[in-house]
Amino acid sequence: MTVYWPDYVESNCRQNYSYFVSSEFLMTGYHTLALITIPLSIFTFFTIIRVTPNKMKNMKIPMLIALAWSTNLDLMLTVHLTPFMFFPSAAGVPMGLLGSVMTDAKWLAYLGQVSIIMIGVCFVMLLENRHSQITTIRFKIKRKRTRLVYFAVNYFLAFFLCLAFYLEDSNQLELRQFVLKRIPCPAIEFYDKNAIVLLKGGELLPFLSISSGLMIIVVQSLFFSIHTVYHLNYVKNAHVSESTKALQRKFLSYVAMQVTIPWTALVTPILYSLYADKNDYYDQTFNNISMLLMASHGLMSTACTLFIIKPYREFVKSIFKGNKSYNPKELWATSVQNRGSIGSVTTG
């Protein structure tokens, strides 16, 4: 690698670095995940479109949108950005395709941050979809146009909240000095031409933007999930049978797993970065592994979609068994005739 930045100091401190510290290890991991998750995402798109029964049609569009944003994040992490991060500092190197065509790495970081926030918006969309199917709930979004406006506002906030920080100019040589005080001997990639430092630490505007975005997602998720759980367990209605409620509770638990399992792949590296920041802890091996865990989000997300919901699971099994006559309309673990606006759902 050609050393670009003038703050490079020749040192023997990197002599004992292992392969797991290197960008070669990280790039190999990213590209291996891409070879698995991208074809799997395409197959999952096909499965949702081809296999989703009519009685689950209200979930079809939200699941496709969530999968689209999940695939976008996969591409960002494993192909377009392939970030090499230097926790405990907010610094990194974009080593992917976009890094070779975009001169300002700061905007690559912006695209990556927005992609992560959009996953949270998609989780809210899935929970709101379950919330809207409970007939005992009066305070809910009933009109399609209102729902479109509601999520358009969410999308706008996802793109807007962190924009102000990225519009500010920064002196990279000055910011790099703050990083070198915390990490006296960073990996050699820190001196790459595209290396960028976003924060020196303690800035108010980034803290407010990130906190606001997180609160918006958390508050909406808690409202839809708690309100749904309350009505399914404590609100009585003569027109809604207990078997219908049991089925709705079961499906809500599957949606919760679809949300929670992939989300751990995103939250765990973030929590690690916060720990590293608080304790000034630098371990490039852990940094690389945490980013690969984040990049595995797509693998977990598609696996949950394919194997949690029974029609999809049975469709995958039929492919392995060579059953060409598989018909998802004939496969129902539980069939509930709906009254009012209650949807019938099949799960396993």
Side-chain angles (χ1 to χ4, degrees):
M1 188 199 78
T2 303
V3 173
Y4 173 80
W5 292 95
D7 50 17
Y8 174 77
V9 176
E10 191 69 38
S11 173
N12 295 326
C13 64
R14 301 179 188 89
Q15 287 183 350
N16 295 324
Y17 276 11
S18 68
Y19 169 70
F20 299 104
V21 173
S22 67
S23 59
E24 288 81 8
F25 163 70
L26 191 61
M27 294 289 283
T28 300
Y30 279 142
H31 293 163
T32 300
L33 285 170
L35 289 173
I36 299 172
T37 57
I38 293 176
L40 188 60
S41 295
I42 295 172
F43 173 75
T44 307
F45 271 110
F46 166 79
T47 301
I48 294 174
I49 294 171
R50 163 69 175 79
V51 179
T52 303
N54 290 333
K55 293 182 180 181
M56 287 179 59
K57 63 181 181 179
N58 64 298
M59 279 292 292
K60 189 173 183 178
I61 297 301
M63 290 177 68
L64 287 173
I65 294 174
L67 181 58
W69 280 106
S70 176
T71 304
N72 169 74
L73 181 58
D74 286 345
L75 290 171
M76 279 291 176
L77 291 174
T78 61
V79 178
H80 295 153
L81 296 182
T82 59
F84 188 96
M85 301 302 297
F86 299 96
F87 304 132
S89 297
V93 184
M95 310 186 79
L97 292 179
L98 289 180
S100 62
V101 296
M102 292 183 67
T103 56
D104 195 343
K106 178 170 65 175
W107 292 107
L108 296 178
Y110 169 74
L111 292 176
Q113 184 173 348
V114 168
S115 297
I116 294 175
I117 295 174
M118 286 306 305
I119 297 298
V121 175
C122 290
F123 290 161
V124 172
M125 184 183 299
L126 290 171
L127 292 171
E128 186 278 328
N129 181 272
R130 287 294 87 211
H131 180 266
S132 67
Q133 299 305 304
I134 310 302
T135 54
T136 56
I137 296 178
R138 295 183 179 182
F139 184 71
K140 62 183 177 181
I141 303 175
K142 299 179 180 179
R143 299 177 59 186
K144 183 178 180 180
R145 182 176 297 180
T146 305
R147 183 173 287 106
L148 290 174
V149 172
Y150 175 73
F151 282 105
V153 172
N154 273 271
Y155 285 1
F156 172 77
L157 292 175
F159 281 88
F160 174 76
L161 282 176
C162 57
L163 181 61
F165 162 65
Y166 288 94
L167 291 174
E168 292 184 351
D169 292 328
S170 60
N171 186 328
Q172 280 297 299
L173 282 175
E174 179 182 336
L175 291 176
R176 289 173 65 84
Q177 294 306 308
F178 284 95
V179 176
L180 289 172
K181 289 178 181 178
R182 305 183 76 183
I183 311 174
C185 188
I188 192 66
E189 286 79 6
F190 184 72
Y191 302 97
D192 185 273
K193 181 179 180 180
N194 291 325
I196 182 172
V197 180
L198 296 175
L199 302 170
K200 64 181 179 181
E203 291 90 340
L204 180 62
L205 185 58
F207 172 78
L208 291 177
S209 65
I210 294 173
S211 300
S212 300
L214 181 62
M215 283 300 298
I216 290 173
I217 298 298
V218 170
V219 169
Q220 291 181 95
S221 299
L222 288 176
F223 170 78
F224 289 127
S225 57
I226 293 175
H227 205 203
T228 302
V229 169
Y230 173 76
H231 277 263
L232 286 177
N233 289 279
Y234 300 105
V235 177
K236 304 297 182 181
N237 189 306
H239 299 289
V240 182
S241 67
E242 286 302 316
S243 60
T244 298
K245 284 191 172 185
L247 184 61
Q248 292 285 7
R249 284 193 291 267
K250 189 175 184 181
F251 191 75
L252 179 63
S253 69
Y254 291 149
V255 171
M257 284 189 284
Q258 284 183 281
V259 170
T260 304
I261 295 175
W263 190 242
T264 58
L266 299 178
V267 171
T268 302
I270 294 173
L271 293 177
Y272 167 72
S273 69
L274 294 175
Y275 167 82
D277 178 61
K278 182 177 177 60
N279 296 278
D280 277 336
Y281 179 75
Y282 175 66
D283 189 316
Q284 194 59 51
T285 298
F286 283 176
N287 290 349
N288 290 349
I289 292 174
S290 68
M291 292 309 299
L292 289 177
L293 176 60
M294 181 176 286
S296 70
H297 158 269
L299 181 61
M300 295 184 185
S301 180
T302 51
C304 287
T305 301
L306 290 175
F307 296 108
I308 285 177
I309 301 176
K310 189 169 184 177
Y312 305 152
R313 185 170 70 243
E314 293 299 324
F315 176 64
V316 173
K317 289 169 63 176
S318 72
I319 291 177
F320 282 103
K321 293 178 179 179
N323 181 12
K324 297 182 180 180
S325 61
Y326 171 77
N327 185 357
K329 295 181 180 180
E330 298 176 354
L331 180 68
W332 293 96
T334 306
S335 181
V336 177
Q337 299 298 327
N338 60 323
R339 291 187 177 182
S341 61
I342 297 179
S344 298
V345 182
T346 293
T347 53

